Amino acid sequence: MATKTIFNEYLYGDLLAPAPGYSTDFACGMTYSLSFEALLTAYLAFGMQGETDGLADDSKQLLLEAITKSSDKVVMFCNKGNIAVPRTIRKEFSLMEDNIFEVFDKNNIRANFHPKLWLIREVSDNNSNDILLKLIVTSRNMSYSDHLDCVACLRGKVVSNPPDVSKHRQLANFIREIAEASNIGKRRINDVLRLAADVERIERFDVDPPFDDYDFFPYLFNKDFGLGDISDYLVGNESIIVSPFIDKTTIGRLAPDDNSRRCLITRKEYVDDFIFNRFAERGGVYITLDDLASRHMDLHAKMYYVWKNRDEQYLFLGSANATNAAFSRNGEFLLRLKYKHGNKHAADFLSSFYEADSSDSKFMPMNEPVATPPEPAKWDEAESAMKVFMCADDLMAEIKPQSGEGYMVSVTSATVSSHRAELFIAPLQRPELKQLWTGKAIFENIAMAELSEFYLLSATDADNVSHHTVIKIATTGMPAERDSRIYGNLIKSDKDFYRFIELLLTDAPAHFIANELIQHSDADSGGHSDKNGFSCQGLYETLLRTAATRPAQIRALEQLIAKLGREVVPESFSHIYKQLITAISRH
């Protein structure tokens, strides 16, 4: 097990990459907010042993490889309305439609889906029956951030005759419930359900010192997972609460008015008189250094250290803030790690945040409460209008061909917001076509490669408060050739195609890209470069070696060729591939 209390750019490259000798077979992620760019980084990590830094922008072939390899391997659940509008809109984002699925509570659209975790199946390169499950629990969203977060990673082996472990069943049922609450389709939901079934085939996840056991604490829209009240498991005789967002009600429950030692680590702006006095004489309040907070490196970790006795001391970590919303209506997830029998670990845990006279401390004691704490967050009219619209049962889109090569996209819903705000909608790939929402929007002359199930949604209220997001709308009539047209925007020549195939087959993508950059630099400075930049004979030999050592890669290549279509695949490669299939069949 790997744990890291505070981290910055750590998760995507290092933890998502498969273990040595294993390959990612399927991954299910959960996040509150999502950026397309960050999810692409995760795709890269699954296939590149974590070597992702700075590579995505250097090679369109690398980007395409990440998408094609992960298109059938990844499902990402996120909160409805929290897909970030990308800084640069790229056509390949539309290829992620079959990977991203939104979740919301149909009975309370103001509840948020807030877990942050990954469950990943990894299969041995030498034995398909040797399967690992990796569980990553974190406080970080699938978006780029410099905030201070926490993460833990557990691995367990899937066995054929596992014992009945109730806590594994708890996690499996959580995954099943999320799939049912999302807009995932029938094909992809089966992938998720198979992963949930694998959780119940785990004998035990590995736990390293100082911990010796674990439990899962899922929360999802008031569903009963049998957890009991938070005062039963998050209070204890002593505790340290780490939460960026807090409210008086929940702090009152987690830090009862007794003589027990309690400590709070939070953001400065939320510490009013009540909060400050609750901890001042019992353990204190610690806040992020002003310099870090001003540079957007504030606390984002959610952790709870709980001491009951020498046999019962725990560390909880995950997504749940110390707020009423987290524990009463949202979707959340906490991992509980049990310390081995022994002395208290409170001092060691606190030292991760603050040590007196240490220049490495990122936190400091708070000496007095803030004079004017912020008002509790409330939904404005624009946000409410967007949420009502995007959660409408009858919201749908239809694509129809027009004369020539263009298409018409119609978005319809009987829902017209009664809130005091104007809504605007546009196709993701054509933001300039933005229209005021009146119950129907029609977009004409859309090119095939611009068609998408993702749409830009914005709202502005009478106070000029605005919100912008990307939403996914169930869309019928999508041409079967749409993906091929998008691939064609990335692969515009035979040379592009062959470079992509070589990258797809290599065991060291980062090394391949580095060589490409060096060759490009040599060519710019007058170095030798052949006319096409590739050797058909060399590629054929590579294909033969791959067929002998990694036959699954050849099967994946065959599926990819069918997906790319004749417009993208050069005739010369089709000839090489037919030779390969003939050679394989002879042996």
Side-chain angles (χ1 to χ4, degrees):
M1 182 195 77
T3 58
K4 197 171 181 71
T5 302
I6 301 294
F7 74 110
N8 286 321
E9 295 303 324
Y10 180 76
L11 173 60
Y12 300 139
D14 294 340
L15 288 184
L16 291 179
Y22 288 78
S23 298
T24 300
D25 182 69
F26 184 73
C28 176
M30 303 176 195
T31 183
Y32 170 68
S33 59
L34 170 69
S35 81
F36 290 113
E37 297 90 345
L39 187 55
L40 281 176
T41 303
Y43 287 179
L44 290 168
F46 289 137
M48 295 184 63
Q49 308 299 323
E51 302 175 56
T52 62
D53 293 344
L55 292 175
D57 293 331
D58 289 334
S59 172
K60 59 186 177 183
Q61 281 77 22
L62 180 61
L63 183 63
L64 183 56
E65 189 230 17
I67 295 173
T68 53
K69 276 190 173 181
S70 300
S71 60
D72 292 326
K73 294 183 178 181
V74 176
V75 162
M76 191 79 207
F77 294 110
C78 67
N79 189 56
K80 196 169 190 69
N82 279 88
I83 303 175
V85 177
R87 289 172 294 180
T88 301
I89 296 175
R90 310 174 71 150
K91 289 185 174 61
E92 51 267 27
F93 291 155
S94 296
L95 297 173
M96 304 167 77
E97 293 164 350
D98 209 24
N99 303 116
I100 299 173
F101 303 97
E102 298 166 303
V103 182
F104 75 102
D105 184 358
K106 296 178 177 61
N107 298 313
N108 180 7
I109 63 173
R110 295 199 174 193
N112 286 316
F113 179 73
H114 199 250
K116 299 106 166 55
L117 64 85
W118 281 94
L119 185 64
I120 304 169
R121 182 196 297 120
E122 299 176 353
V123 178
S124 169
D125 296 333
N126 300 317
N127 180 1
S128 61
N129 294 318
D130 181 0
I131 302 172
L132 299 178
L133 283 193
K134 178 166 62 180
L135 175 66
I136 300 170
V137 181
T138 179
S139 60
R140 171 156 293 182
N141 289 302
M142 185 48 60
S143 56
Y144 294 120
S145 169
D146 290 325
H147 286 320
L148 305 175
D149 278 287
C150 60
V151 64
C153 178
L154 283 68
R155 287 185 175 89
K157 188 175 287 291
V158 175
V159 297
S160 55
N161 295 302
D164 183 13
V165 182
S166 59
K167 57 189 171 187
H168 295 168
R169 189 164 59 251
Q170 188 94 304
L171 174 58
N173 288 338
F174 179 61
I175 296 169
R176 294 179 182 115
E177 293 281 3
I178 288 170
E180 292 295 334
S182 74
N183 57 356
I184 194 170
K186 291 182 179 179
R187 183 177 72 85
R188 300 317 304 273
I189 197 173
N190 289 332
D191 295 330
V192 176
L193 295 180
R194 281 194 293 271
L195 187 65
D198 280 346
V199 172
E200 296 185 291
R201 295 172 58 201
I202 294 288
E203 186 171 7
R204 178 179 173 81
F205 284 100
D206 294 333
V207 182
D208 295 336
F211 307 106
D212 65 1
D213 205 356
Y214 58 90
D215 284 285
F216 306 125
F217 284 71
Y219 313 82
L220 186 64
F221 308 149
N222 290 316
K223 294 186 182 296
D224 184 9
F225 289 94
L227 301 179
D229 189 80
I230 60 173
S231 60
D232 297 333
Y233 53 86
L234 284 181
V235 177
N237 296 317
E238 294 186 17
S239 63
I240 300 174
I241 301 167
V242 181
S243 179
F245 305 105
I246 55 179
D247 63 39
K248 293 180 182 180
T249 301
T250 306
I251 289 298
R253 294 169 66 191
L254 297 181
D257 191 10
D258 54 26
N259 295 321
S260 300
R261 182 173 175 81
R262 310 283 179 192
C263 176
L264 174 65
I265 302 172
T266 188
R267 294 185 179 182
K268 178 180 181 178
E269 59 265 31
Y270 299 107
V271 184
D272 61 10
D273 288 332
F274 173 84
I275 300 294
F276 183 81
N277 293 330
R278 202 77 170 182
F279 296 91
E281 302 300 325
R282 302 163 66 185
V285 177
Y286 296 84
I287 56 174
T288 318
L289 294 174
D290 289 338
D291 177 57
L292 293 179
S294 66
R295 290 188 283 127
H296 304 288
M297 294 180 63
D298 214 334
L299 177 69
H300 195 250
K302 293 88 172 167
M303 310 175 79
Y304 304 86
Y305 169 84
V306 179
W307 160 272
K308 293 187 176 182
N309 53 59
R310 289 171 62 86
D311 288 320
E312 294 182 279
Q313 54 179 322
Y314 305 97
L315 177 62
F316 294 77
L317 63 91
S319 68
N321 288 290
T323 62
N324 186 57
F327 292 106
S328 67
R329 72 170 186 241
N330 284 355
E332 306 280 0
F333 191 85
L334 289 174
L335 168 67
R336 184 176 76 175
L337 299 170
K338 182 179 182 294
Y339 287 97
K340 291 184 176 182
H341 168 84
N343 297 326
K344 296 177 186 176
H345 290 265
D348 288 340
F349 179 69
L350 183 59
S351 69
S352 299
F353 300 86
Y354 171 76
E355 285 185 290
D357 303 321
S358 172
S359 60
D360 294 330
S361 292
K362 293 181 173 63
F363 294 80
M364 61 184 180
M366 191 171 183
N367 297 319
E368 60 182 3
V370 295
T372 54
E375 292 292 323
K378 295 181 179 179
W379 283 45
D380 55 62
E381 297 288 346
E383 190 175 13
S384 297
M386 289 175 64
K387 199 73 173 184
V388 169
F389 172 79
M390 69 180 69
C391 294
D393 290 337
D394 63 345
L395 178 61
M396 63 186 66
E398 182 182 17
I399 298 171
K400 290 184 178 179
Q402 292 181 296
S403 58
E405 294 189 357
Y407 289 82
M408 180 179 71
V409 179
S410 302
V411 181
T412 59
S413 173
T415 301
V416 179
S417 177
S418 60
H419 294 278
R420 205 165 47 95
E422 290 184 322
L423 281 168
F424 300 88
I425 189 169
L428 174 64
Q429 303 295 340
R430 296 290 301 275
E432 76 280 5
L433 299 182
K434 182 173 72 173
Q435 294 185 22
L436 176 67
W437 178 254
T438 59
K440 186 173 184 177
I442 297 178
F443 308 99
E444 297 189 282
N445 298 316
I446 308 294
M448 187 185 294
E450 297 169 337
L451 296 172
S452 176
E453 292 187 10
F454 293 121
Y455 297 81
L456 295 166
L457 183 66
S458 61
T460 304
D461 66 17
D463 297 324
N464 210 30
V465 176
S466 297
H467 295 277
H468 309 265
T469 192
V470 175
I471 61 171
K472 186 178 177 184
I473 299 178
T475 302
T476 60
M478 186 70 71
E481 305 84 5
R482 193 282 309 263
D483 288 6
S484 297
R485 290 293 178 91
I486 296 176
Y487 292 131
N489 278 272
L490 288 173
I491 303 176
K492 297 182 178 180
S493 67
D494 288 3
K495 180 178 178 180
D496 285 346
F497 177 83
Y498 279 102
R499 289 178 70 246
F500 168 60
I501 294 298
E502 289 175 350
L503 175 60
L504 197 67
L505 297 175
T506 184
D507 285 325
H511 181 69
F512 177 87
I513 294 300
N515 284 340
E516 287 287 310
L517 295 175
I518 292 170
Q519 291 173 15
H520 181 72
S521 176
D522 287 344
D524 289 343
S525 60
H528 173 72
S529 176
D530 64 31
K531 180 179 179 180
N532 295 314
F534 62 87
S535 164
C536 290
Q537 181 62 33
L539 178 58
Y540 181 69
E541 292 173 357
T542 300
L543 287 167
L544 283 175
R545 287 195 301 270
T546 304
T549 59
R550 291 177 291 147
Q553 198 79 328
I554 297 299
R555 291 193 295 271
L557 183 60
E558 184 175 6
Q559 296 171 0
L560 175 63
I561 292 170
K563 186 182 293 185
L564 294 179
R566 293 182 179 180
E567 293 182 5
V568 177
V569 180
E571 185 177 344
S572 55
F573 179 81
S574 298
H575 178 69
I576 292 174
Y577 191 73
K578 288 178 181 177
Q579 284 185 318
L580 174 72
I581 298 302
T582 301
I584 293 174
S585 63
R586 289 173 180 171
H587 294 82

